[in-house]
Amino acid sequence: MSTSLFPLLAFGFVSPWLLWGLLLGGLPILIHLMHKRRYKETHWAAMRFLIEAARKNSRRIRLEQLLLLIVRILIVVFIVLAVSQPFVETFGTYFEAEIPTHRIIVVDASFSMTYQSAGEPLFDRAKEMARQIAESGNRGDAFNLVRIADSQPRAVIRQPAYDSQSVVEIVEQMRPTEERGDILSTLRVLAELVDDASTPGRKEIAIITDLQSENWSTASADRRVDVQKNLKDLSRIARLIFVDIGHPAAQNAAITEFAATEPFVAVDREVSLDVTVENFGLEPLADQLLELYVDGLVSQTKRINVAAGSETPVRFTHTFSRADDHRLEARLQQDNLPIDNHRWLAMPVKADLKVLLINGVHSGTERETATFYLQRALSPSTATRIWRGFIKPDVISEGELPGIELSRYDCVFLCNVARLTDRESELLHSYVENGGSLVISLGDQIQAENYNNQLYRDGAGLLPAKLGNRIGQVDANQEFYFDPQNFEHPIVQEFEGNPGTGLETTLTYQYIRAAIAETGNSKAALKFSSGDPAVIDMPFGRGRTLLITTSLDEKWGLWPISPSFPPVMNEIVLHAVSRRANERQLLVRQPITRIFPTRAFNMSAIVKSPDQESTAVSLTDSNGFSRLAFDQTTESGLYELELGQPLNRSELFAVNIDARESNLAKLEKNEFTAELMSGVDFEYRTHWQEVGDEIDVGVSERGGLTRWLLYAALCLLMVELMMAWRFRYGFILLYGIVSTILVRECWAWNSLAGVSLLFAVCGGLVVILFVNRDRISPIR
Amino acid sequence: MDEYQKYLQPETLAKLEGLELKARLIVEGYVSGLHKSPFHGFSAEFAEHREYVPGDDLRYVDWKVFGKSDRFYLKQYEEETNFACYMLLDTSESMQYQSESAPVSKLEYARYVAAALAYLVVQQQDGVGMATFDQTVSQFIRASSQPSHLKQLFHTMEQAPTAGETEMGPIFHDLAERIKKRGLVIIFSDLFDDLDSMLLGLKHFRHRRHDVSVVQIIDPAEQDFPFVDPTLFIGLENMPDQMTDPRALRRAYRKEFDESLKRTRRALRDLQMDYVLLRTDTPLDVALSSFLQRRMKLTYRT
């Protein structure tokens, strides 16, 4: 509904800039004035008669000249107004319009629009309405087509299209996305489109949407303000029509989470898989079938109940017998929105967790190396007993680092390495950015300045904190104990309630003070009793870095020989690799990216989409590394990245929908008006046919005066010609024209009144003719 | 006969030199179309009755007397030996006016008519005199029937200066005093003057028992007002200028002009004076005819 306060006065121009032509209305005045100055001269003997005649008729002559001037001005004014294509709201169907309009059709293409209502997806209904809008346009209308989605292109038809049939064809080709609806970005695109000066001045935006709260009424106050402002700005320029096709009480259940509880899944080890099912509807769900598929086969099923408006966690367990990337799918019984009834998990299962230990201490005695205790803590095999744990550490010296392909390792330990070259720093940075896990332990060889320059980089690098001075001296017998910080961090969580592990009694004599920046996402997982951090955790890129500020050998403390050392080291490794587990899980439209530290330009890379379509992806060179990016993750499912030589492996990626879009709760009309459209002029509809009728009426109501103005100008032109020749004839003609129009309108309103007026007009004409009977006769 | 007809067109006459020639051509052209002299019975004055004898012209029987007495008596008229005709010619500035469509000016046309009439009068062996006037009487020539006198008249007419406005009332008073002997006074003017003042002067002639004919000569444009474009009308005889759109004023002007003509005609009729309206585009034979035939009617009426 229009909220215009003064509908009768609502007036506008399609091409207002042409109103400058109204200045031409002054032309008759100018001509009139100039004409007065151009005259003939003649001597005249019978002056007394002329003077007397002029005296007696001066008033009449002035009136006639004024009327003629007015007629001439009106001719110019009417023509200029007509060319400016004015339109007037609510003026009855008297002024019928065929004003070219710039029509922008906005279709909500978020996946909530695939909800089946009355057996038909909402999106199909939206397409039908869009088609009707395109077909109901007038000649000269310009069309844009915009979709509400989370990705580009939002403007499906960006350049204005004047052929409605082509618009209909493009509408038919539209498909819903599996994305959320980014309203703010769409509104910004609309603002760009209405600014197009090449399109007609009269604007109309029809937004066909389900008015989902998740999309329209976001929780962020700043964003809501932005949306309101954009809508208000648009309403000033264009007529806003909202077509609400959302289902008022849509029932929907969805799998909102599907993940493994452990960050690293190894062969022959049971892994827990947590599935969260959420019921967004108002009706409880009973006895719903939930299935777990592993590599395409049903592994387990469960029957679940989910109360209305709540979520239910479900746990499956599974043991993988083969080291490979496995395809997992959780599938819920179908409802009216099937797209969110399944969720995928790409599960890389490995035989072992490869850990690289880089030893920075060169010694002939193995015990004196920096990695001795660490290696045994992670894999305590002896000559007689082979450790059957899945963590497999490899030890190299620091000199071998440049030649190692770090991506083969799940975790890398840098142990008391004195300094790093630029190349080594780049290697480590790219490794961690690409999802690798790096643990840096310090020691007596550390050159803090080099570490700060190469790895900290003023907070931009992968080092979680800036290294400072050494604290404590072995000789001075200073003792520092661990403070587990209430066991909040995952690496110490297992120690809560277990004092026998000796974590809090572990003795350290020396460490390097590390300053955690206040801004940033570094967190102290473990502190010393002095308050300085002992273990600092920081996510970096797609990976993670942990900094251990003391050494992992006996030189700076007794920790390596403490009973807490092995479990802490194992937890550190597991925590470090936890991010990597998530690198395979993406949302729709998030790109699949990989960085390869070797110059693998010629390596082939093919991505196979869930619909089995294969796309070759080329690698690009990025600072000496090979970078791969695939952004066509438009549909949910499992994508397979096949890498050729020299890597020769394939990796699975799970692309899932953003589960927030599964909440189909919508804004009703009053909520929508109150929350977003306060003070904004707009129309609200639920069907297009109604809109179509109203728009037809509205088109009439907002009818242009162009044609009538041109008719009026034409009539006045004839009147002017007649008046200039014989004023009274012209006056009679004007009288006749005006009378005809008035009688016609009066007749249409009321036939009796029309007849009466007709008689009155005829009588008036008789009077005029009688009064001027002498003057109207041809001049002798 | 046809040869003389062409000399009745004012535009043709305008090309000729000499008023005498023009007058002769006019008259001969006019007379050639008639069977008898137009001046027959012209200005004859009734003298007495005599008894009818067989053979007398029955046209002169006084039927009123017969009706009373049953006896036939003839009217006898005075000889015209004392008949004098004075041509009063208005030579004021307004008479100079000649529109684009007019062949000659009003003054020129008046000369033609006056000259033709003077010619006719002299041919009848009657006397003709003349006066020209504008602000005052500029020329006055006593009546004479000598043919040579006609030359003088024509010369005077042609040479009469034209200037300024005229005020006919006082001039007529003056002329009425000068023309002592009763006769025919023919006034040639456009009569663009105050009517009341003019009538007062004309009444003086009436008082002197003169027979007055007024010939109003106008330019076709003054009657038709054919102007189209916005025009600045420059007034003659010290009248103010008027800037106007003629098309807007045409009807009103014509109405004013026609009403003025009507008033003049009515006033002169009331004074029992003859009035003839002539346009300068009227052929001279028509002009003479309209004047002389009116004179004939007047004569028979008495």
Side-chain angles (χ1 to χ4, degrees):
Chain A
M1 89 297 285
S2 174
T3 56
S4 170
L5 290 174
F6 301 104
L8 280 175
L9 298 179
F11 189 83
F13 292 91
V14 177
S15 305
W17 61 273
L18 285 167
L19 286 173
W20 284 105
L22 280 173
L23 291 172
L24 290 173
L27 211 57
I29 299 172
L30 197 65
I31 292 171
H32 180 79
L33 292 172
M34 285 170 61
H35 192 55
K36 270 194 157 183
R37 299 173 60 139
R38 291 176 57 198
Y39 53 84
K40 290 186 176 177
E41 287 185 7
T42 185
H43 287 90
W44 187 246
M47 187 57 77
R48 63 186 65 233
F49 308 109
L50 188 63
I51 290 170
E52 189 61 20
R55 185 188 65 80
K56 286 180 179 174
N57 291 271
S58 60
R59 195 173 159 199
R60 177 188 63 83
I61 291 169
R62 274 202 303 274
L63 276 172
E64 286 181 4
Q65 285 188 340
L66 184 65
L67 191 56
L68 191 56
L69 185 65
I70 289 171
V71 166
R72 285 169 176 162
I73 292 171
L74 283 177
I75 291 169
V76 175
V77 165
F78 283 174
I79 290 173
V80 169
L81 287 177
V83 168
S84 304
Q85 298 177 59
F87 57 88
V88 179
E89 285 194 9
T90 324
F91 221 24
T93 55
Y94 194 82
F95 300 109
E96 293 174 3
E98 287 180 1
I99 298 299
T101 306
H102 181 197
R103 299 183 194 272
I104 304 175
I105 306 169
V106 183
V107 177
D108 190 341
S110 60
F111 79 71
S112 63
M113 291 287 284
T114 60
Y115 180 83
Q116 303 256 1
S117 175
E120 183 191 23
L122 296 180
F123 192 75
D124 286 358
R125 202 183 302 170
K127 276 171 54 175
E128 173 61 24
M129 291 185 184
R131 187 185 61 76
Q132 286 172 11
I133 296 172
E135 286 176 346
S136 67
N138 296 317
R139 189 171 43 207
D141 283 358
F143 290 93
N144 287 108
L145 184 61
V146 174
R147 60 174 198 165
I148 298 175
D150 210 8
S151 65
Q152 299 285 4
R154 292 199 175 83
V156 178
I157 300 177
R158 179 165 272 277
Q159 292 301 320
Y162 291 86
D163 176 19
S164 61
Q165 194 50 44
S166 67
V167 174
V168 168
E169 287 171 10
I170 293 173
V171 166
E172 288 304 314
Q173 293 166 15
M174 281 185 81
R175 296 287 175 268
T177 66
E178 296 190 23
E179 305 161 18
R180 297 189 69 217
D182 184 351
I183 299 299
L184 196 53
S185 299
T186 305
L187 294 177
R188 286 182 185 137
V189 168
L190 291 177
E192 289 171 17
L193 293 175
V194 294
D195 261 351
D196 187 346
S198 69
T199 53
R202 186 176 152 195
K203 313 279 182 186
E204 230 170 60
I205 302 174
I207 303 174
I208 308 165
T209 173
D210 56 1
L211 278 185
Q212 192 183 13
S213 299
E214 267 296 323
N215 291 339
W216 287 94
S217 182
T218 172
S220 159
D222 287 342
R223 201 173 164 86
R224 197 179 316 135
V225 165
D226 273 345
V227 169
Q228 279 174 338
K229 183 181 175 309
N230 275 271
L231 287 169
K232 200 163 194 170
D233 291 343
L234 283 173
S235 71
R236 287 199 190 104
I237 307 168
R239 182 186 181 199
L240 285 184
I241 306 165
F242 281 86
V243 186
D244 177 9
I245 59 171
H247 199 284
Q251 187 76 16
N252 185 40
I255 298 175
T256 56
E257 285 180 37
F258 181 29
T261 54
E262 291 84 30
F264 182 83
V265 179
V267 170
D268 296 330
R269 291 184 179 272
E270 187 179 89
V271 60
S272 298
L273 301 162
D274 283 343
V275 177
T276 306
V277 177
E278 191 163 348
N279 180 3
F280 294 102
L282 302 174
E283 301 289 327
L285 290 173
D287 202 35
Q288 296 291 299
L289 180 65
L290 180 65
E291 298 167 295
L292 174 67
Y293 284 73
V294 178
D295 295 326
L297 300 173
V298 177
S299 169
Q300 295 168 62
T301 63
K302 287 191 179 181
R303 290 269 172 193
I304 58 169
N305 301 319
V306 190
S310 68
E311 60 182 31
T312 297
V314 180
R315 177 164 285 187
F316 294 97
T317 57
H318 189 80
T319 304
F320 294 92
S321 57
R322 182 171 50 88
D324 197 358
D325 282 5
H326 292 270
R327 298 163 183 267
L328 272 65
E329 180 188 347
R331 196 182 291 182
L332 184 65
Q333 190 169 325
Q334 280 223 8
D335 56 18
N336 284 338
L337 186 63
I339 195 171
D340 56 5
N341 288 76
H342 42 196
R343 204 163 184 89
W344 286 271
L345 194 59
M347 181 66 68
V349 176
K350 297 194 174 181
D352 44 41
L353 197 157
K354 288 189 168 29
V355 182
L356 180 66
L357 310 181
I358 303 173
N359 174 33
V361 176
H362 305 288
S363 173
T365 312
E366 191 187 0
R367 201 182 188 93
E368 292 178 357
T369 62
T371 55
F372 175 77
Y373 292 100
L374 179 59
Q375 184 183 11
R376 279 146 186 80
L378 296 177
S379 180
S381 296
T382 63
T384 53
R385 277 174 58 183
I386 304 298
W387 176 248
R388 295 211 182 271
F390 59 83
I391 296 180
K392 296 284 188 286
D394 289 341
V395 179
I396 63 168
S397 68
E398 63 178 295
E400 297 174 74
L401 174 57
I404 288 289
E405 196 192 314
L406 294 177
S407 62
R408 285 176 49 220
Y409 292 93
D410 301 298
C411 185
V412 172
F413 273 80
L414 210 59
C415 301
N416 204 4
V417 171
R419 55 182 288 116
L420 296 157
T421 64
D422 293 343
R423 176 68 182 162
E424 289 165 345
S425 171
E426 286 307 316
L427 275 172
L428 292 172
H429 274 88
S430 70
Y431 166 72
V432 178
E433 275 173 359
N434 202 31
S437 312
L438 178 66
V439 183
I440 302 169
S441 70
L442 304 178
D444 59 344
Q445 300 199 131
I446 299 297
Q447 295 177 21
E449 193 178 338
N450 173 268
Y451 268 64
N452 288 337
N453 289 337
Q454 291 289 6
L455 299 183
Y456 183 65
R457 297 180 181 177
D458 286 326
L462 55 76
L463 195 63
K466 188 174 182 181
L467 301 187
N469 299 326
R470 289 187 198 184
I471 304 297
Q473 287 179 4
V474 178
D475 301 337
N477 272 334
Q478 277 179 293
E479 295 176 353
F480 303 99
Y481 298 96
F482 285 132
D483 175 4
Q485 300 284 293
N486 295 320
F487 304 98
E488 288 175 356
H489 196 277
I491 66 172
V492 293
Q493 267 176 4
E494 295 294 329
F495 292 88
E496 189 174 14
N498 287 311
T501 58
L503 177 65
E504 289 152 289
T505 56
T506 302
L507 206 61
T508 303
Y509 301 124
Q510 225 171 7
Y511 64 89
I512 292 178
R513 180 172 279 162
I516 300 175
E518 285 182 10
T519 56
N521 39 11
S522 295
K523 201 166 51 171
L526 188 65
K527 284 188 177 178
F528 289 114
S529 49
S530 63
D532 291 324
V535 176
I536 307 170
D537 173 23
M538 186 184 81
F540 183 78
R542 291 168 55 198
R544 188 182 294 277
T545 314
L546 285 99
L547 174 65
I548 304 172
T549 59
T550 186
S551 68
L552 299 182
D553 54 26
E554 291 176 281
K555 291 174 187 163
W556 281 10
L558 304 178
W559 195 18
I561 56 175
S562 157
S564 67
F565 185 73
V568 171
M569 288 302 116
N570 276 273
E571 289 301 323
I572 283 176
V573 168
L574 289 175
H575 178 68
V577 302
S578 64
R579 281 199 100 201
R580 188 160 227 171
N582 294 328
E583 75 180 2
R584 303 295 191 89
Q585 325 306 328
L586 302 169
L587 294 179
V588 168
R589 283 295 190 173
Q590 284 183 340
I592 296 170
T593 57
R594 302 286 276 123
I595 297 176
F596 305 100
T598 56
R599 289 181 179 271
F601 293 120
N602 295 326
M603 181 173 70
S604 68
I606 295 172
V607 174
K608 198 185 286 183
S609 311
D611 60 358
Q612 302 306 309
E613 194 174 309
S614 295
T615 309
V617 186
S618 52
L619 275 70
T620 55
D621 184 26
S622 173
N623 291 329
F625 302 98
S626 297
R627 186 184 187 88
L628 177 150
F630 177 80
D631 60 0
Q632 298 303 307
T633 52
T634 56
E635 57 178 301
S636 55
L638 289 163
Y639 289 71
E640 188 171 356
L641 171 63
E642 293 173 358
L643 300 167
Q645 295 289 347
L647 294 180
N648 220 24
R649 67 170 185 259
S650 63
E651 296 175 349
L652 278 181
F653 292 82
V655 174
N656 287 298
I657 54 162
D658 189 330
R660 291 177 291 179
E661 186 73 10
S662 297
N663 184 356
L664 299 180
K666 69 182 289 292
L667 292 171
E668 294 305 324
K669 175 180 162 186
N670 50 344
E671 292 170 305
F672 179 63
T673 309
E675 285 189 33
L676 289 172
M677 307 301 282
S678 169
V680 177
D681 197 7
F682 75 105
E683 293 174 42
Y684 177 89
R685 303 273 178 260
T686 56
H687 293 87
W688 183 250
Q689 276 310 121
E690 178 188 335
V691 184
D693 287 345
E694 291 222 19
I695 279 187
D696 284 342
V697 172
V699 160
S700 295
E701 285 181 343
R702 301 189 74 169
L705 306 175
T706 302
R707 205 168 353 127
W708 278 101
L709 286 168
L710 286 175
Y711 286 156
L714 193 63
C715 291
L716 283 177
L717 208 57
M718 289 192 298
V719 165
E720 192 272 344
L721 286 170
M722 194 65 86
M723 276 184 175
W725 175 58
R726 296 281 187 267
F727 183 85
R728 279 177 179 78
Y729 291 170
F731 183 79
I732 290 170
L733 178 62
L734 182 64
Y735 177 85
I737 291 170
V738 172
S739 305
T740 306
I741 294 170
L742 288 174
V743 166
R744 183 188 155 207
E745 284 310 300
C746 202
W747 196 298
W749 171 64
N750 181 287
S751 48
L752 183 64
V755 169
S756 307
L757 187 61
L758 178 63
F759 277 112
V761 160
C762 291
L765 185 62
V766 167
V767 167
I768 290 173
L769 290 173
F770 181 77
V771 166
N772 293 285
R773 61 190 184 282
D774 295 331
R775 297 167 198 152
I776 289 173
S777 59
I779 302 303
R780 60 178 180 278
Chain B
M1 263 188 229
D2 290 339
E3 194 178 324
Y4 287 117
Q5 298 296 323
K6 71 178 178 191
Y7 291 108
L8 297 173
Q9 299 301 327
E11 51 267 25
T12 312
L13 287 169
K15 297 173 192 168
L16 301 176
E17 292 290 332
L19 201 51
E20 184 180 355
L21 173 63
K22 294 176 192 179
R24 184 168 59 82
L25 287 171
I26 292 168
V27 169
E28 285 174 0
Y30 172 73
V31 169
S32 68
L34 297 176
H35 294 294
K36 51 192 167 193
S37 166
F39 280 104
H40 182 73
F42 177 73
S43 191
E45 187 81 9
F46 174 73
E48 60 183 0
H49 286 108
R50 73 172 173 80
E51 197 167 355
Y52 169 80
V53 290
D56 284 331
D57 193 345
L58 283 172
R59 279 185 298 162
Y60 298 105
V61 173
D62 194 342
W63 296 107
K64 284 183 189 169
V65 170
F66 174 74
K68 290 178 184 172
S69 63
D70 273 343
R71 297 172 76 95
F72 292 101
Y73 284 93
L74 293 176
K75 289 183 195 174
Q76 280 191 306
Y77 297 89
E78 284 183 4
E79 293 295 328
E80 298 168 4
T81 51
N82 292 329
F83 171 69
C85 176
Y86 278 90
M87 310 284 179
L88 305 184
L89 188 62
D90 182 354
T91 57
S92 63
E93 197 182 6
S94 64
M95 290 293 286
Q96 289 278 345
Y97 179 72
Q98 176 187 354
S99 66
E100 287 177 3
S101 60
V104 293
S105 66
K106 288 185 285 185
L107 180 59
E108 191 67 19
Y109 193 88
R111 284 188 189 127
Y112 295 165
V113 179
L117 287 173
Y119 193 88
L120 269 172
V121 169
V122 169
Q123 271 200 329
Q124 298 281 111
Q125 283 120 42
D126 287 316
V128 60
M130 196 196 75
T132 62
F133 62 92
D134 41 53
Q135 293 167 317
T136 55
V137 177
S138 53
Q139 298 279 350
F140 182 80
I141 299 172
R142 293 229 161 259
S144 168
S145 57
Q146 297 299 317
S148 59
H149 180 68
L150 206 54
K151 279 192 195 332
Q152 188 191 359
L153 284 184
F154 290 161
H155 178 76
T156 305
M157 270 194 235
E158 282 174 334
Q159 301 302 319
T162 57
E165 58 193 305
T166 184
E167 206 172 332
M168 284 185 273
I171 288 169
F172 289 163
H173 285 302
D174 181 14
L175 286 171
E177 288 299 317
R178 292 197 200 191
I179 305 173
K180 292 188 180 359
K181 204 168 179 190
R182 62 191 279 247
L184 173 63
V185 175
I186 307 173
I187 301 167
F188 299 92
S189 173
D190 53 14
L191 300 185
F192 289 164
D193 194 5
D194 177 53
L195 182 64
D196 293 330
S197 162
M198 186 182 69
L199 290 174
L200 216 56
L202 288 174
K203 281 179 185 170
H204 201 155
F205 280 119
R206 197 77 189 149
H207 178 67
R208 289 276 184 183
R209 297 182 68 197
H210 291 297
D211 188 3
V212 180
S213 282
V214 177
V215 180
Q216 184 174 18
I217 297 174
I218 60 171
D219 191 285
E222 287 168 343
Q223 188 171 37
D224 299 337
F225 204 65
F227 305 99
V228 174
D229 298 319
T231 306
L232 174 66
F233 292 93
I234 301 169
L236 298 173
E237 297 186 16
N238 296 326
M239 290 293 279
D241 300 345
Q242 178 74 29
M243 174 73 186
T244 187
D245 182 3
R247 284 187 298 184
L249 219 50
R250 185 177 296 128
R251 287 184 206 276
Y253 168 85
R254 284 177 179 171
K255 183 182 169 189
E256 287 298 318
F257 193 80
D258 290 344
E259 279 177 9
S260 166
L261 293 182
K262 282 182 194 168
R263 277 198 304 274
T264 305
R265 186 180 291 119
R266 203 179 306 123
L268 291 173
R269 190 181 60 222
D270 290 344
L271 287 177
Q272 293 176 337
M273 292 181 182
D274 192 18
Y275 169 78
V276 176
L277 177 69
L278 292 177
R279 287 159 56 111
T280 55
D281 59 352
T282 306
L284 271 300
D285 60 338
V286 175
L288 281 180
S289 167
S290 59
F291 176 80
L292 293 171
Q293 283 178 5
R294 285 188 71 81
R295 290 303 312 173
M296 281 179 167
K297 278 188 193 167
L298 273 177
T299 305
Y300 284 128
R301 203 178 302 138
T302 55

